[in-house]
Amino acid sequence: MKHFITQDTPVTEEVLNVIAHLPTKSLPAIVEDKFFVKLSDLNIMRIAVLLAQKSYDEGGCPIGGVIIDNNTRRIIGKGHNTLVQDNDPYNHGETSAIRDAGRQDFSNTTIFTTLSPCDTCATLIYMRQFSRVVVGDVTNASGNEQMLREKGVKVDILEDPVGIELYAKYRAEKPELDMEDWKGLAAVRKAAR
Ligand SMILES: O=c1cc[nH]c(=O)[nH]1
């Protein structure tokens, strides 16, 4: 059957939003491989930011992640933070995308994250041997980029102004949630002392 999104489909925000919302497992039936080849790093980061927006709209922390195969540029995993939605003390944008991709060899893949990875996500990124991480926001948070480079992960900064604005808005609205999510409950308690 012909794919719904083909190599001739223009790369628009609306199409990227559909891809963000579709289950990853359904993508091969709906999106032609040649469409993925057309997507630039900026386009993939937009998908991650649209996932961050989805989380924000659900009342959660606005951080999204997308994992692509370096050769085919096909999306093999994606997700967003669900600390609030799932009442899960640890489901970050990156871990959500990694869980979606499953237990596999990530050494020929790139993970896009809308926010600079926290200590735990950064550790997971090098422990699972990702070849590259693309970071969409080092304005609101940063710190693990150098460590990742030293561990052999290629780090590219590709800031997305919409994602940066969204995160700054959320932080201003929910500073405690931001701190709990990024630094843990220990940091929240320390700040309250
Ligand atoms: O890397 C991070 C940090 C905070 N929250 C996330 O979802 N990811």
Side-chain angles (χ1 to χ4, degrees), residues 61-64 80-82 90-95 113-122 141 167 170 178 181-183:
C61 312
I63 303 125
H80 58 72
N81 187 302
T82 63
Y90 203 82
N91 196 28
H92 278 187
E94 299 90 327
T95 56
T113 173
T114 60
L115 186 67
S116 175
C118 71
D119 294 352
T120 313
C121 289
Y167 198 85
Y170 147 80
D178 164 54
D181 182 56
W182 219 83
K183 292 197 171 132

